[in-house]
Amino acid sequence: MIEEALLEINRGTAEIIDIERIEKLLKAYFDEGKNYTVKAGFDPTAPDLHLGHTVLLQKLATFQKFGARVQFLIGDFTATIGDPTGKSATRKVLTPQDIAKNIESYTSQAFKILDESKTDIVYNKEWLDALGSVGMLQLASNLTVARMLERDDFSKRYASQTPIALSEFMYPLLQGYDSVHLKSDIEIGGTDQKFNLLMGRQLQKSYEIKKQQAVLMMPILEGLDGVQKMSKSLGNYIGVTDAPNDMFGKILSISDDLMWRFYELLSSKTLNEIADLKTGVSDGSLHPKSVKEALALEITTRFHSEDAANNAKSEFDKVHSKSQIPTDIPEFSCEGEVWIAKALLDCALEPSTSQARRDIKQGGVKINQEKVADEKLVLTTGEYLLQVGKRKFAKLKVN
Amino acid sequence: MIEEALLEINRGTAEIIDIERIEKLLKAYFDEGKNYTVKAGFDPTAPDLHLGHTVLLQKLATFQKFGARVQFLIGDFTATIGDPTGKSATRKVLTPQDIAKNIESYTSQAFKILDESKTDIVYNKEWLDALGSVGMLQLASNLTVARMLERDDFSKRYASQTPIALSEFMYPLLQGYDSVHLKSDIEIGGTDQKFNLLMGRQLQKSYEIKKQQAVLMMPILEGLDGVQKMSKSLGNYIGVTDAPNDMFGKILSISDDLMWRFYELLSSKTLNEIADLKTGVSDGSLHPKSVKEALALEITTRFHSEDAANNAKSEFDKVHSKSQIPTDIPEFSCEGEVWIAKALLDCALEPSTSQARRDIKQGGVKINQEKVADEKLVLTTGEYLLQVGKRKFAKLKVN
């Protein structure tokens, strides 16, 4: 059981620091039913989650299966702080109302993945405000300038003489102090957060918290292109509030490689179940498209409902089949109005007007992808896509 | 009048930034009677002032003569903050009681120089506490890491890989913010404070104070050796709580060069009066020693009283004349007890024992700098300094 838990916790991770601590926490849970805490921080300035953000949430949900209480940390302290230098265009000043609205939106999405009964939503403004001027200064005394400049992005900016505001040095410390206040056992975050996550460990030591948090880092999810990270600004994202049809369709559009990546990082299927799917695809008993459909159904169900997901699938199938139109359709034109049966004959779609009338009666003729019900229809000036059966197409321009 | 004020304000300064601002403030004072503020910060962790510290106070007193209200800033905010890294041995944590006691001692000394009615004692804990976590972070956003590392001592420490705690970067900002809060017109400090003094100007601009403070820097006073800076740890200092005799004597011990330096930086004599003294010394009408005595009297009077200073002078003269003993005194020895008159003859201080007896009767003979009253005195085993008149000395060892 503990082995299975460890496998699921390890699943898809980029790096784990202090796996021994995690093992001990799991052992205490399985042996004695003792719970432990897993912290993850969320920025309330951007209320729209996309699937990339949910990688962390999935991992938190996994931990919840195995005894964890999640410390769902809302970073509301810095959100109200503007950047007086105006150097950072990304940092907008939000009103408390904006933030409250964002948090509401954020958590309602998050609880589609997390178990609410095992989640504590916490706001760092509470204890960071209480730190006060003196507390901030004491916090700052825990780190050296040289150590801070070792952080990858800082060292690059310093070397290239790109200004680094002194306050930027404070943010990792504040994030670390959150772990001190919360006495977190584990913190999870993206690989880009490594420095800040380790800061939590360091500060817990400085502030004499008995045991330091283990750190688990998740990779950054790729976007629809399968190459760049999923991001709103790159337009390659699947938003968790995307309409069911969009969500379903976007997932079906990804490559097979990316599909397996999504299974690993986003699916609630177990590792064994995913292994079975892979076997099925490789021995030919499963079509990759149906595996992708199953993923799209799972994700769409998660953020909407099973009905919405099934409807999305039907709609997709319909649209998908509708859109099976060849790109090289022969084109015709004629002068004046024309009877539909005559038009089908002229465009070489039917051998005779009588055959055309029979096909129309049987529902086998479409104009602009809509079935023709009336065999006496007359086409007036305009352009038409004529179709007989599934395969025969022609374009007709009536002048 | 304004020209005289400017000369006195310039007197002894190492550097002035924005002299135009000072000229305008003086003009507004002389023309319209408008007052202005001059800020200086004092550290309440070291309650014992020495003359080096009073250089600033003298300059403040000069400003007070010309319309300034002094913002006597007690840096009590940082004084209560320990250094959790333990890296700085110099920073002691003080209790509020310690600080109150130090401040009491500090200001009672300072008001021997400053005009109390033109002085506002202000405590930066008041507004720095009120800044809070958010205010601290906003403050830190006003400066870049690169700019901070330009500061001389920081750049050296960074280059030599000597740790710089992040909190140390905050101190100049806090000092600068004091000037924002106080809307100071001028700040004065030592040359070693240049970076921090300029920070006040920069932050006043960031926080949209209409006019930025002018900055006036005083040199660091040399100690008794005339070479190294006056400092308690170097033992070359004159404490303002030194006993009158010590104070007087120490000042008389300094070189003539250092005496003129002390006149410039510590004396309340005007520049014209000092120029007269210099002329007197150079044309021989004044002995340098009497000029030095005048300085010693002025300083001792300032921190004690005129009576105490005069007593110190008398005492000094007495001790000083007693100690007029040449360094190359001939040495003699003899076996067994010896009559004083015989001893004086043997040591070639007298031509005969009868002459010796006459001189003893007239009080012209001393043993160990005490007059000999008894012409029948017998010297037993021991060492004696024999003296006849003012000039003749001998050392005698009786075995």
Side-chain angles (χ1 to χ4, degrees):
Chain A
M1 192 60 180
I2 196 170
E3 286 73 23
E4 189 207 326
L6 269 173
L7 279 174
E8 284 293 344
I9 284 166
N10 258 300
R11 169 175 167 182
T13 56
E15 190 177 354
I16 296 180
I17 289 161
D18 202 354
I19 183 74
E20 297 76 13
R21 179 89 203 276
I22 297 178
E23 285 169 357
K24 277 179 198 161
L25 293 166
L26 285 175
K27 194 166 159 23
Y29 170 66
F30 284 109
D31 292 356
E32 309 157 42
K34 280 181 77 172
N35 294 111
Y36 55 92
T37 55
V38 182
K39 170 197 169 200
F42 297 91
D43 174 7
T45 57
D48 296 328
L49 291 182
H50 58 58
L51 289 190
H53 301 113
T54 70
V55 170
L56 280 188
L57 294 171
Q58 279 299 122
K59 187 58 70 182
L60 290 173
T62 300
F63 272 111
Q64 286 181 326
K65 276 194 222 160
F66 304 119
R69 282 205 71 80
V70 164
Q71 299 171 323
F72 190 94
L73 186 138
I74 307 278
D76 61 342
F77 174 73
T78 48
T80 46
I81 299 177
D83 176 1
T85 63
K87 271 169 206 146
S88 165
T90 55
R91 178 168 293 285
K92 298 181 290 198
V93 187
L94 295 184
T95 66
Q97 289 74 25
D98 290 337
I99 293 171
K101 211 177 129 200
N102 287 353
I103 290 171
E104 169 57 31
S105 153
Y106 219 97
T107 51
S108 72
Q109 299 305 326
F111 286 134
K112 297 186 173 173
I113 298 173
L114 295 182
D115 181 341
E116 192 165 355
S117 72
K118 296 177 181 173
T119 303
D120 300 311
I121 301 181
V122 289
Y123 302 85
N124 66 1
K125 194 166 165 55
E126 181 193 323
W127 55 86
L128 293 182
D129 270 348
L131 261 184
S133 314
V134 172
M136 286 285 274
L137 210 51
Q138 285 173 324
L139 186 56
S141 69
N142 280 287
L143 213 78
T144 67
V145 174
R147 173 88 179 79
M148 206 53 106
L149 280 174
E150 282 168 14
R151 203 175 86 166
D152 214 35
D153 54 339
F154 286 149
S155 70
K156 279 178 195 150
R157 284 166 64 190
Y158 186 66
S160 68
Q161 302 186 330
T162 308
I164 306 167
L166 214 51
S167 47
E168 295 184 69
F169 271 15
M170 293 303 294
Y171 291 116
L173 284 166
L174 293 173
Q175 182 174 336
Y177 186 77
D178 291 340
S179 293
V180 171
H181 177 83
L182 293 170
K183 298 190 177 67
S184 309
D185 295 315
I186 301 171
E187 181 169 5
I188 81 175
T191 47
D192 54 344
Q193 287 285 307
K194 182 170 183 177
F195 186 91
N196 297 358
L197 295 166
L198 290 176
M199 190 63 66
R201 277 171 74 83
Q202 183 173 338
L203 288 180
Q204 283 182 328
K205 197 174 179 184
S206 300
Y207 283 81
E208 299 178 346
I209 303 292
K210 241 185 229 167
K211 285 181 185 171
Q212 296 162 55
Q213 66 184 19
V215 162
L216 187 148
M217 281 163 271
M218 296 305 293
I220 306 299
L221 189 69
E222 293 82 3
L224 296 174
D225 51 73
V227 179
Q228 293 191 277
K229 70 169 186 175
M230 184 174 287
S231 123
K232 206 162 180 186
S233 60
L234 292 174
N236 62 355
Y237 69 105
I238 302 174
V240 302
T241 55
D242 278 359
N245 289 356
D246 289 347
M247 192 176 276
F248 190 93
K250 282 182 182 177
I251 294 171
L252 273 199
S253 80
I254 65 178
S255 71
D256 290 356
D257 280 350
L258 191 59
M259 171 185 78
W260 292 121
R261 178 86 167 156
F262 276 29
Y263 262 113
E264 182 179 38
L265 295 175
L266 301 174
S267 172
S268 294
K269 285 192 163 52
T270 64
L271 286 168
N272 284 335
E273 288 168 332
I274 295 170
D276 289 346
L277 292 178
K278 282 192 180 168
T279 309
V281 168
S282 63
D283 70 14
S285 64
L286 272 174
H287 194 282
K289 196 190 158 201
S290 68
V291 181
K292 208 175 287 176
E293 280 173 350
L295 178 69
L297 280 171
E298 182 189 352
I299 303 289
T300 309
T301 299
R302 175 180 301 160
F303 294 108
H304 297 282
S305 67
E306 199 173 334
D307 281 355
N310 288 330
N311 287 341
K313 181 177 184 311
S314 308
E315 187 68 16
F316 182 88
D317 289 344
K318 206 168 115 193
V319 171
H320 196 62
S321 54
K322 259 194 193 167
S323 65
Q324 294 282 28
I325 300 167
T327 48
D328 53 344
I329 299 173
E331 298 182 7
F332 301 87
S333 69
C334 65
E335 302 298 316
E337 298 179 341
V338 61
W339 175 41
I340 176 67
K342 175 80 165 48
L344 292 170
L345 178 65
D346 289 350
C347 294
L349 294 174
E350 294 283 7
S352 64
T353 55
S354 53
Q355 179 64 34
R357 288 166 67 194
R358 273 193 298 274
D359 283 345
I360 290 169
K361 272 180 192 158
Q362 288 164 19
V365 171
K366 291 178 183 172
I367 294 180
N368 297 336
Q369 296 189 284
E370 298 292 335
K371 277 181 192 166
V372 177
D374 178 9
E375 59 179 277
K376 291 182 183 157
L377 179 71
V378 170
L379 303 180
T380 54
T381 307
E383 289 184 15
Y384 302 92
L385 175 68
L386 308 179
Q387 182 179 0
V388 176
K390 284 204 165 181
R391 297 271 166 263
K392 290 189 286 183
F393 291 89
K395 282 179 184 162
L396 175 65
K397 192 172 185 189
V398 179
N399 295 310
Chain B
M1 192 63 179
I2 195 170
E3 286 74 20
E4 188 206 329
L6 269 172
L7 279 174
E8 284 293 345
I9 284 166
N10 259 301
R11 166 175 169 182
T13 56
E15 190 177 353
I16 295 180
I17 289 161
D18 203 353
I19 183 74
E20 297 77 14
R21 180 88 204 274
I22 296 178
E23 284 168 358
K24 278 181 195 159
L25 293 167
L26 286 175
K27 195 167 159 24
Y29 170 66
F30 283 109
D31 292 356
E32 309 158 41
K34 279 182 77 172
N35 295 110
Y36 54 93
T37 55
V38 182
K39 169 197 169 200
F42 298 91
D43 174 8
T45 57
D48 297 327
L49 291 183
H50 57 58
L51 289 190
H53 300 114
T54 70
V55 170
L56 281 187
L57 294 171
Q58 279 300 123
K59 188 56 70 183
L60 290 172
T62 300
F63 272 112
Q64 285 180 328
K65 277 194 221 160
F66 306 118
R69 281 205 72 77
V70 164
Q71 299 172 323
F72 191 93
L73 185 139
I74 307 279
D76 61 342
F77 174 73
T78 48
T80 46
I81 299 177
D83 177 1
T85 63
K87 270 170 207 146
S88 165
T90 56
R91 178 166 294 284
K92 297 180 290 197
V93 188
L94 295 184
T95 67
Q97 289 76 24
D98 291 336
I99 294 171
K101 211 176 129 199
N102 287 352
I103 290 172
E104 169 57 31
S105 153
Y106 219 98
T107 51
S108 71
Q109 299 305 326
F111 287 133
K112 296 184 172 172
I113 298 173
L114 294 182
D115 181 342
E116 192 165 352
S117 73
K118 296 178 181 172
T119 303
D120 299 312
I121 300 181
V122 289
Y123 302 85
N124 66 1
K125 195 168 164 55
E126 180 193 324
W127 55 86
L128 293 182
D129 270 348
L131 262 185
S133 315
V134 172
M136 286 285 276
L137 210 51
Q138 285 172 326
L139 186 56
S141 68
N142 280 286
L143 212 79
T144 67
V145 174
R147 173 90 178 77
M148 207 51 108
L149 279 174
E150 282 168 13
R151 202 175 89 164
D152 214 36
D153 54 340
F154 286 149
S155 71
K156 278 178 195 149
R157 283 166 65 191
Y158 186 65
S160 69
Q161 302 186 332
T162 309
I164 306 167
L166 215 51
S167 47
E168 295 184 67
F169 271 15
M170 293 302 295
Y171 292 115
L173 284 165
L174 294 174
Q175 181 173 334
Y177 185 78
D178 291 341
S179 292
V180 171
H181 177 83
L182 293 170
K183 298 190 176 67
S184 308
D185 294 315
I186 302 172
E187 180 169 6
I188 80 174
T191 46
D192 55 342
Q193 285 286 307
K194 181 169 184 176
F195 186 91
N196 296 358
L197 295 166
L198 290 176
M199 189 63 65
R201 277 171 73 82
Q202 183 174 338
L203 287 181
Q204 283 182 327
K205 196 173 180 187
S206 300
Y207 283 83
E208 299 177 347
I209 303 292
K210 242 186 227 165
K211 286 180 184 172
Q212 295 161 55
Q213 65 183 21
V215 162
L216 187 149
M217 281 163 271
M218 296 305 294
I220 306 300
L221 189 70
E222 293 82 2
L224 297 173
D225 50 73
V227 180
Q228 292 192 277
K229 69 170 188 174
M230 185 173 287
S231 122
K232 207 162 179 188
S233 59
L234 292 173
N236 62 355
Y237 70 105
I238 302 175
V240 302
T241 55
D242 277 1
N245 289 357
D246 289 346
M247 192 177 275
F248 190 93
K250 281 183 183 176
I251 294 171
L252 274 199
S253 80
I254 65 177
S255 71
D256 290 356
D257 281 349
L258 190 59
M259 171 186 77
W260 293 121
R261 178 85 166 154
F262 276 31
Y263 262 113
E264 181 178 39
L265 295 175
L266 300 175
S267 173
S268 294
K269 286 191 162 52
T270 65
L271 286 168
N272 283 336
E273 289 168 332
I274 295 171
D276 289 345
L277 292 179
K278 281 191 181 169
T279 309
V281 167
S282 63
D283 68 15
S285 64
L286 272 174
H287 194 284
K289 196 190 158 198
S290 68
V291 181
K292 209 175 287 176
E293 280 173 351
L295 177 70
L297 280 170
E298 181 189 352
I299 303 288
T300 308
T301 300
R302 175 179 301 159
F303 294 109
H304 297 283
S305 67
E306 199 173 336
D307 281 356
N310 287 329
N311 286 342
K313 182 176 183 314
S314 311
E315 186 68 16
F316 183 88
D317 289 344
K318 208 168 113 195
V319 172
H320 195 64
S321 53
K322 260 191 192 168
S323 65
Q324 293 285 29
I325 299 167
T327 49
D328 53 346
I329 300 172
E331 298 183 6
F332 300 86
S333 68
C334 66
E335 301 300 314
E337 300 178 341
V338 61
W339 175 40
I340 176 67
K342 175 77 166 51
L344 293 170
L345 178 66
D346 289 350
C347 293
L349 295 175
E350 296 283 5
S352 64
T353 55
S354 52
Q355 179 63 35
R357 287 166 67 194
R358 271 192 299 275
D359 283 347
I360 290 170
K361 272 181 192 155
Q362 289 163 19
V365 173
K366 291 179 180 172
I367 294 179
N368 298 335
Q369 296 189 282
E370 298 291 334
K371 278 180 192 168
V372 176
D374 178 9
E375 57 179 278
K376 292 181 184 157
L377 180 70
V378 171
L379 303 178
T380 53
T381 307
E383 289 185 14
Y384 302 91
L385 174 68
L386 308 178
Q387 182 178 1
V388 176
K390 284 208 163 178
R391 295 273 167 263
K392 291 188 286 182
F393 290 89
K395 283 181 182 162
L396 174 64
K397 192 171 183 189
V398 180
N399 293 307

